[in-house]
Amino acid sequence: MPVPLPHRLNPGRIAALRRSGILDEPGGAQYAHLVELVRMMLGVPVAIVSIVDEHRQVFAGHSGLPEPWSSRGQTPITHSFCQHVVDRGTALSVNDAYAEPLVRDNLAIPDLGVVAYLGVPIRLPGGELIGALAAINTRPHAWTAHDQRFLESVAVIVDKEIRVGASERRYRTLFEQMREGFYVGDVIRDGDGTVVDFRFDEVNPSFNRLTGLGGVQVNGALLSEVVPGAGAEILPVFEKIVDEQVPGVHVSRSTLLAGRWFETRMTPLGPDRMIGFVSDVTERRTREELQEVLKHEMSHRLKNTLMMVQALATQTLRAVPERAPVEALEERITALSSAHDILFDKNWEGASVEAISRAALGRLCIDSRIDFRGPPVEIGPKATLSLSLLLHELATNALKYGALSNDQGRVELSWTQEGGDFLMIWREVDGPAVMLPSRKGFGSKLIAMGLGSGSVKTEYLAEGLLLQLSSPVSHLQQA
């Protein structure tokens, strides 16, 4: 039958120990007061928090260790009594090491002067036994049950410190490895309460790398010292964030790294304290600028195409004796061009009903006689073109025959969205008396088509035209 491995060599325990990172922080200050407490209460010259792996023990905390072990912060496993606490899984009490077969050959006796030893287990947050809290005497000592209970009560505190340390190490690892720059600090105000500077409490390595401050000591420094001249742009942003206690985003060009753009997302932590995350957005900014150029170029080419269509239509219809249909066609092409301008500004994703309405009616210089009322509603590109043409026809008719044909008339344009339905109302008031048209032209057919879905209801009332359009919102928002 194979001999089982000592628990000290258990692969699962070793893996958990490696992940914890506690081996990389010998002599941790968070344990200093605890080992001093053990020395004082038990009257011993040495107390340690020992973390045991396959080949060594590392002192996470220690007090009273002789040199060179105090400076080294660890010993080979040959010098460890604590390994037996890990293997046993229980406390180990040795009154006289010379008389104890388990440890009498341990090199800690001649090299560290360990003669009496009392150690209790300490564990990771996951329950893995990783070492011992131990009291050590350089001469024989009879440990009592009270001594062990006291040591075990302190070990509970050590375990809690280990949990806190593990959480801190996870945060620190994330902090150090973040690709984004990170800083935390406090604004500095003058006597009037105006923010005049910012002090960095802590920054991560990526902050220095991204901002070009690799050789500068930023922790504890003022913004005015680190980047002179940057405060004029960024300090008003800081002041707004800490005064209003709302997060903010700021995009700016670096004064240290010419041509690089950075986005900073900031969050307040109190009246004068905040954190910031810095990202290099140069590539994104370049893409956006290129997209903007392409958008304007596409808009320019589309306008040229529409102008060519308009010119061809004018030349083709030059022999037509009646000019009204030709002019109506030209105006409809212009209305389409206006709608395309709005869509290009929104990357052809659609536009708001109010923006479409104001653009379509403003082009005819009648928007001052229109009352616009309605909530924010976004519609898709197809519905945008339909609405632009429809409003153009309504406005043209109102200018010729309706409320806008005199000096007193007005138009009330309102819209609502209730549930999944969109409703728009065009109401003309204070215009001349209206009557049912004797014939219907192409413009009337455009109006009757509405927004391509839903219904259109037209009433020729004594006080003016009333038109009601309805459509499912889902249809209007389709691409």
Side-chain angles (χ1 to χ4, degrees), residues 187 189 238-245 271-274:
V187 299
R189 302 179 186 268
F238 286 0
E239 184 169 16
K240 177 179 174 66
I241 287 169
V242 296
D243 285 353
E244 298 182 5
Q245 288 293 291
D272 286 329
R273 191 166 177 81
M274 56 176 285

Side-chain angles (χ1 to χ4, degrees), residues 28 49 67 96 128 135 140 165 223 230 289 301 334 339 364 428 431 454 471:
V49 174
E67 292 293 351
D96 185 349
E128 298 88 355
L223 176 65
E289 290 174 351
R301 292 190 180 191
T334 303
L364 297 173
E428 299 182 19
S471 177

Side-chain angles (χ1 to χ4, degrees), residues 53-121:
D53 68 6
E54 313 99 309
H55 312 295
R56 58 180 177 156
Q57 66 176 355
V58 174
F59 301 120
H62 60 85
S63 177
L65 277 176
E67 292 293 351
W69 313 107
S70 178
S71 298
R72 291 178 183 175
Q74 60 180 287
T75 72
I77 202 68
T78 53
H79 292 63
S80 172
F81 281 31
C82 295
Q83 63 176 306
H84 300 295
V85 176
V86 174
D87 285 340
R88 291 155 55 104
T90 59
L92 173 64
S93 177
V94 177
N95 294 338
D96 185 349
Y98 293 106
E100 176 57 58
L102 180 66
V103 295
R104 64 186 175 195
D105 297 326
N106 194 293
L107 295 181
I109 299 172
D111 291 350
L112 280 78
V114 179
V115 176
Y117 173 94
L118 177 62
V120 296

Side-chain angles (χ1 to χ4, degrees), residues 205-283:
S206 289
F207 178 86
N208 283 12
R209 175 179 56 80
L210 286 173
T211 58
L213 296 170
V216 178
Q217 176 58 42
V218 180
N219 288 345
L222 296 173
L223 176 65
S224 59
E225 299 169 341
V226 175
V227 191
E233 178 181 358
I234 195 65
L235 288 178
V237 181
F238 286 0
E239 184 169 16
K240 177 179 174 66
I241 287 169
V242 296
D243 285 353
E244 298 182 5
Q245 288 293 291
V246 293
V249 178
H250 181 68
V251 179
S252 62
R253 201 165 196 165
S254 171
T255 58
L256 296 178
L257 301 174
R260 307 303 294 179
W261 286 88
F262 293 93
E263 177 183 88
T264 305
R265 289 173 287 116
M266 295 156 283
T267 302
L269 295 178
D272 286 329
R273 191 166 177 81
M274 56 176 285
I275 61 173
F277 295 88
V278 182
S279 302
D280 187 328
V281 294
T282 304
E283 292 184 5

Side-chain angles (χ1 to χ4, degrees), residues 38-55:
V38 170
R39 284 185 62 189
M40 179 181 69
M41 295 302 294
L42 297 186
V44 294
V46 179
I48 59 173
V49 174
S50 173
I51 311 300
V52 178
D53 68 6
E54 313 99 309
H55 312 295

Side-chain angles (χ1 to χ4, degrees), residues 401-477:
Y401 317 111
L404 302 181
S405 63
N406 62 17
D407 294 333
Q408 295 81 36
R410 297 189 64 79
V411 173
E412 297 172 358
L413 180 61
S414 61
W415 60 91
T416 59
Q417 178 181 338
E418 295 182 4
D421 294 321
F422 173 78
L423 174 66
M424 173 173 274
I425 298 177
W426 173 283
R427 185 191 303 274
E428 299 182 19
V429 295
D430 297 332
V434 297
M435 60 185 67
L436 188 69
S438 57
R439 66 182 184 86
K440 293 186 178 181
F442 181 68
S444 297
K445 292 179 180 179
L446 276 177
I447 294 172
M449 290 169 59
L451 298 174
S453 61
S455 64
V456 179
K457 181 181 178 182
T458 306
E459 297 182 64
Y460 295 91
L461 305 176
E463 60 270 21
L465 175 69
L466 174 64
L467 183 89
Q468 299 182 66
L469 301 164
S470 65
S471 177
V473 174
S474 58
H475 291 182
L476 299 183
Q477 293 177 340

Side-chain angles (χ1 to χ4, degrees), residues 147-168:
D147 294 338
Q148 182 171 326
R149 285 196 300 271
F150 169 76
L151 205 59
E152 287 170 344
S153 66
V154 178
V156 171
I157 303 174
V158 172
D159 288 348
K160 290 181 179 178
E161 291 287 349
I162 289 174
R163 284 197 295 273
V164 172
S167 176
E168 170 68 20

